[in-house]
């Protein structure tokens, strides 16, 4: 069955067609980055307006690239939460109209569960091994969320730890903004850090390990420490370059994630880790996890780390085959779903 997936939660206007929850037949991502770059951040009003202008063409391209027409679609899935409300509403309204007009099943999905599902999609026809059997540990790292969880099924996650303040991607974006490294910050810092010395600056790791929440994360302290370094750094120019700031910050940001993740591995005893979200594209994070030969670490291909319609369509298919449908009265919501939590 071919599912159309639509994603408009932030600044990517995206649609894809996925066959049987596994094989992307098309994956169109129209990025709004140039429109937000001048402001060094996403402007919600601009984002929703661009989605409104682009969504028809993006969905049409996704169908064309898959070589199919609307009549070949078996269901429509869309991100309904979390995200920017105005942007989400564009995708949700479009998907509902599409489904209603063609009398197709409509499925509203959670964006974070979809990021986690990206690894279950076939990366290429030559890759029959893609995907992971449940249960596994999930590492969800994006611009808005940082979650370490136990994953028992496509829609059954238990949050073990999460950030108590900023998300990891947000820290990349803010540091990049203050230093003028570029927008969006994650990719800019990742690139700059390639030539930097990760030991040039020592930034503190948050002291969160009080016993109760061993897998929680915190990024506001690191963000402030790196930004405070700016004045000092400008005075001392010459001894260290921007690439050293980038590499030192990136190392600490990844150390914070891995400290909690590896604690969870030890305590929970699951040795498969599935990553998802924009920060899963980070080359240093990938490198550090690849060093752990005792673990099986799965990352989506780069084009499926950031926001895309394929992960939405894939996840939507799972709900559909289970017999789930969303009513057309479903609306968008900016907030993250209340996942189960487990604090040992
Ligand atoms: O999943 P995503 O596309 O959107 C959200 O759901 O938030 O994630 C976007 C985040 C941004 O903060 C961006 O800076 C970060 O992912 N990101 C990266 C990299 N590429 C994107 N962070 C670190 N390293 C990267 N290579
Ligand atoms: Zn996302």
């Amino acid at each position: 069955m071919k599912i159309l997936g639509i994603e408009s939660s932030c600044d990517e206007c995206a649609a894809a067609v996925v066959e049987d929850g596994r094989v992307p037949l098309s994956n169109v991502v129209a990025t709004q980055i140039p429109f937000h770059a001048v402001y060094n951040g996403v402007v919600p009003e601009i984002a929703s307006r661009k989605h409104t202008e682009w969504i028809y063409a993006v969905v049409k391209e996704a169908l064309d690239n898959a070589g199919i027409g609307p009549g070949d679609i078996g269901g429509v899935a869309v991100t309904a939460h979390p995200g920017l409300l105005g942007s989400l509403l564009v995708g949700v309204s479009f998907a509902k109209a599409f489904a209603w007009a063609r009398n197709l099943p409509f499925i509203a999905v959670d964006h974070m569960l979809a990021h986690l599902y990206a690894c279950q999609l076939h990366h290429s026809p030559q890759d029959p091994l893609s995907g992971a059997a449940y249960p596994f540990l999930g590492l969800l790292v994006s611009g808005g969320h940082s979650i370490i969880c136990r994953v028992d099924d496509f829609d059954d996650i238990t949050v073990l730890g999460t950030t108590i303040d900023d998300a990891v991607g947000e820290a990349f974006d803010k540091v990049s903004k203050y230093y003028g490294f570029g927008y969006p910050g994650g990719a800019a810092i990742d690139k700059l850090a390639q030539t930097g010395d990760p030991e040039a600056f020592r930034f503190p790791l948050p002291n969160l390990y009080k016993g109760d929440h061993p897998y929680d994360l915190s990024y506001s302290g690191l963000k402030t420490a790196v930004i405070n370094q700016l004045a000092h750094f400008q005075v001392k120019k010459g001894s260290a370059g921007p690439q050293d700031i980038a590499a030192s910050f990136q190392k600490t940001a990844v150390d914070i994630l891995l400290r909690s993740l590896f604690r969870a591995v030890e305590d929970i005893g699951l040795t498969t880790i599935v990553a998802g979200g924009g920060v899963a594209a980070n080359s240093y994070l990938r490198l550090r996890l690849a060093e752990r030969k005792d673990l099986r670490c799965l990352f989506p291909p780069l084009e499926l780390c950031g926001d895309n319609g394929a992960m939405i369509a894939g996840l939507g298919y799972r709900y559909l085959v289970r017999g789930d449908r969303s009513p057309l009265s479903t609306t968008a919501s900016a907030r993250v779903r209340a996942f189960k939590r487990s604090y040992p």
Side-chain angles (χ1 to χ4, degrees), residues 111 115 142-144 169-170 172-173 184-187 190 277-279 281-283 305-307:
H111 184 80
H115 270 308
S142 72
E170 189 186 343
F172 272 89
D173 293 335
D190 193 346
V279 184
N282 187 264
S283 60
C305 285
D307 295 343

Side-chain angles (χ1 to χ4, degrees), residues 1 146 171 195 261 287:
M1 191 201 299
S146 314
T195 53
L261 181 68
L287 193 76

Side-chain angles (χ1 to χ4, degrees), residues 166-305:
D166 299 339
V168 54
E170 189 186 343
F172 272 89
D173 293 335
K174 291 279 159 55
V175 165
S176 188
K177 177 177 173 175
Y178 278 94
Y179 279 86
F181 290 160
Y183 171 86
I189 288 181
D190 193 346
K191 191 159 172 245
L192 195 57
Q194 307 285 333
T195 53
D197 174 8
E199 305 295 338
F201 296 87
R202 291 213 171 227
F203 297 118
L205 262 68
N207 184 16
L208 284 172
Y209 190 27
K210 304 271 195 296
D212 286 349
H213 299 180
Y215 319 120
D216 272 348
L217 309 159
S218 166
Y219 280 96
S220 81
L222 173 63
K223 184 183 75 182
T224 309
V226 179
I227 290 169
N228 283 346
Q229 193 72 39
L230 179 58
H232 183 58
F233 175 71
Q234 281 166 339
V235 177
K236 276 186 60 181
K237 242 183 188 169
S239 55
Q243 68 280 7
D244 300 316
I245 284 278
S248 304
F249 158 73
Q250 177 176 263
K251 178 186 182 303
T252 315
V254 168
D255 279 345
I256 292 172
L257 270 186
L258 296 185
R259 181 176 64 169
S260 294
L261 181 68
F262 292 156
R263 264 182 206 146
V265 167
E266 255 172 54
D267 297 348
I268 312 287
L270 293 172
T271 52
T272 298
I273 294 165
V274 171
V279 184
N282 187 264
S283 60
Y284 182 71
L285 172 66
R286 287 170 175 247
L287 193 76
R288 289 284 302 279
L289 277 172
E291 285 167 9
R292 286 287 304 254
K293 302 288 180 221
D294 55 326
L295 304 176
R296 180 172 182 237
C297 301
L298 299 179
F299 285 88
L302 290 183
E303 69 275 14
L304 294 179
C305 285

Side-chain angles (χ1 to χ4, degrees), residues 7 9-10 111-112 115 142-143 277-278 305-308 311:
E7 157 62 41
S9 67
C10 192
H111 184 80
M112 300 314 291
H115 270 308
S142 72
C305 285
D307 295 343
N308 66 85
M311 64 183 190

Side-chain angles (χ1 to χ4, degrees), residues 35-55:
F35 298 92
H36 301 287
V38 277
Y39 304 100
N40 270 313
V42 178
V43 182
E45 281 300 325
I46 295 176
S48 45
R49 186 166 292 271
K50 287 290 155 206
H51 285 306
T52 310
E53 288 169 9
W54 291 357
I55 192 140

